[in-house]
Amino acid sequence: MVRAFPQILVMDIEEEMAEVVRFLESKGVDEIAEFVFRLPSVLAYDVDSNIKPKLSLLKRVGYEMRQIVEFPGCLSFSLEDVIIPRLAFLRYLGVDVSSKRLPIILACSEDRFCERVASRPTSEFKEFCRDLAERRGVNPRPGKQRKRRRKGRTRKNSRAFPTRCRFPISELSSQR
């Protein structure tokens, strides 16, 4: 665990870790040690701004706590950049998202998500994401650039999002 999350060595147990452990216990996570072993960085997450909004959304779309506990890594994904856009896109397509396992939806590249989960071209997902971000008042994140960068250069925005979307986002909007 130290190799995966070395910051754990300098964290204050009472101040930082205990709040997360108490919260997870209150949500029904029985095997805290196993949960933390599978996602050690969860101990550094802020309960109010990170863990609660993600759990709330996942439960709202139909996931049970046991499904979340099976894949603690779902808490490591960005709510704004990964979780909301992917769940919203699947709902837009009429897919019952809770029927799909979380790792299948979240733990893959954008291209693989589009190809294997949504069965739609990546361009359609990007279009959807741009419109969703605009409607939510969130800036879409710049895409990951696959090319190697030269020292001293910065990444440029490589994503071009088209603008149309017909999905009612009110169901998936996170509380601000």
Side-chain angles (χ1 to χ4, degrees):
M1 179 157 46
V2 173
R3 189 177 297 168
F5 186 61
Q7 295 89 332
I8 198 167
L9 295 174
V10 295
M11 290 179 67
D12 185 302
I13 293 171
E14 292 302 316
E15 293 280 323
E16 299 170 302
M17 295 186 216
E19 180 185 9
V20 172
V21 170
R22 281 192 298 270
F23 178 75
L24 291 173
E25 286 175 335
S26 75
K27 293 298 177 186
V29 179
D30 296 326
E31 296 293 327
I32 296 290
E34 183 180 338
F35 192 92
V36 170
F37 180 77
R38 293 174 67 197
L39 183 66
S41 60
V42 74
L43 294 173
Y45 293 175
D46 182 75
V47 170
D48 293 324
S49 67
N50 195 327
I51 300 173
K52 278 183 184 178
K54 291 174 185 177
L55 288 181
S56 174
L57 174 66
L58 292 171
K59 286 183 167 187
R60 230 176 22 241
V61 297
Y63 286 102
E64 296 175 15
M65 197 61 197
R66 70 169 177 74
Q67 293 170 295
I68 297 166
V69 170
E70 287 173 6
F71 181 56
C74 69
L75 298 178
S76 68
F77 292 94
S78 168
L79 187 64
E80 299 295 329
D81 297 334
V82 178
I83 299 173
I84 289 175
R86 290 185 184 192
L87 294 178
F89 189 61
L90 290 174
R91 292 189 85 177
Y92 164 74
L93 297 174
V95 175
D96 175 18
V97 293
S98 63
S99 69
K100 301 243 183 230
R101 294 181 57 237
L102 282 169
I104 292 171
I105 295 173
L106 300 175
C108 59
S109 70
E110 193 172 90
D111 291 335
R112 184 164 286 194
F113 165 76
C114 291
E115 178 186 325
R116 294 191 178 171
V117 181
S119 300
R120 291 291 201 272
T122 305
S123 60
E124 185 178 342
F125 178 64
K126 288 180 178 183
E127 176 182 341
F128 177 86
C129 288
R130 177 166 183 192
D131 192 55
L132 181 67
E134 287 174 4
R135 293 176 65 196
R136 296 183 72 236
V138 178
N139 289 329
R141 70 182 174 126
K144 292 181 182 175
Q145 203 171 33
R146 302 249 184 236
K147 294 180 182 177
R148 236 178 168 181
R149 291 186 297 154
R150 290 186 185 161
K151 219 173 197 177
R153 292 193 178 184
T154 60
R155 292 182 184 196
K156 294 181 180 177
N157 186 349
S158 62
R159 266 189 208 183
F161 291 107
T163 58
R164 293 182 337 276
C165 173
R166 299 170 301 279
F167 181 74
I169 61 167
S170 59
E171 297 175 27
L172 291 175
S173 295
S174 63
Q175 301 297 323
R176 293 201 173 237

